[in-house]
Amino acid sequence: MGGIGPLEPGEGTRAWEDGRGPRTTRPGGRTRAALAAWYVRHRRRALAALVAAALLGGGGLLYATRPRQPPPRAARPPAPTPYPAQVVDVTYLDGRPAPATDPRRGFGFAVLLSVASGPPVTVTRVTQPYEGLSLTTEPSIPFRAEAGSARKVTITMHVTKCGKAPRNAGLPFLDVTLRNARAIQTQSFILGPRYAEYLSEALEVACGNRSQSLAKQPTPLE
């Protein structure tokens, strides 16, 4: 190799501006590869973020559209205890023979006292509205009746004053005092036309001494 002079820098080199010597620049191929790798990493991260967002959004949609379970029903409060007059009924059954202790002025009949529901009911009194009559019951007062049951009660009446006893009572009734866990009530029970008819006939028999007294009176011819 002939000639004297500085060597020419090779291709791909450039001089340092401060005069410290040449430096080799990074080839363009490696720079493009680094950019490509960065792009791939960035894209992977973006795709991962999109997938995570999609999963979160899908989970939220499933939660929002899931079948809703109805809230548990609150326990119903217990039904209030009924008043005794609301659950008790008294009906007339039939007439009974006159009591042996008072066959002339006494007569009897039977009623059915039933309790539909609620706590037990105690009968504390049975009366009738007419001043000329008194009564007793069997079973004797007080007695108790359970819910869902019916008790047959025999009532014996005694005529104390015929002048104050009804001869043709249209709607005779009994006053019954009832007691249960809620209240004490007196209820009037109309026993119907069969009882009205029986009462009128029994009073005619008990107070029928008027015809006998007239028969004993002397006639004008005597």
Side-chain angles (χ1 to χ4, degrees), residues 5 8 24 45 59 65 76 80 82 89 92 113 116 122 191 218:
E8 294 293 334
T24 302
R45 292 173 183 171
T65 58
R76 292 184 178 181
D89 190 27
Y92 173 77
L113 184 144
T122 300
L191 302 184

Side-chain angles (χ1 to χ4, degrees), residues 41-136:
R41 289 195 302 270
H42 178 73
R43 185 171 182 178
R44 287 177 179 174
R45 292 173 183 171
L47 287 174
L50 288 175
V51 171
L55 290 176
L56 290 174
L61 180 61
L62 290 175
Y63 179 81
T65 58
R66 78 190 192 285
R68 297 296 180 91
Q69 296 294 332
R73 293 183 178 181
R76 292 184 178 181
T81 301
Y83 287 98
Q86 294 176 331
V87 296
V88 172
D89 190 27
V90 177
T91 56
Y92 173 77
L93 291 178
D94 52 25
R96 293 301 167 93
T101 57
D102 189 11
R104 184 167 176 269
R105 291 290 186 97
F107 57 94
F109 59 94
V111 297
L112 190 67
L113 184 144
S114 58
V115 181
S117 61
V121 175
T122 300
V123 178
T124 62
R125 190 181 182 191
V126 178
T127 61
Q128 50 80 42
Y130 307 112
E131 186 178 350
L133 301 175
S134 65
L135 64 81
T136 57

Side-chain angles (χ1 to χ4, degrees), residues 11 15 19 33 35 37 66 75 88 97 101 112 161 170 178 194 207 215 219 221:
E11 184 181 358
L35 289 174
R66 78 190 192 285
V88 172
T101 57
L112 190 67
K161 295 181 180 180
L178 308 166
R194 291 179 56 236
C207 297
T219 62
L221 298 177

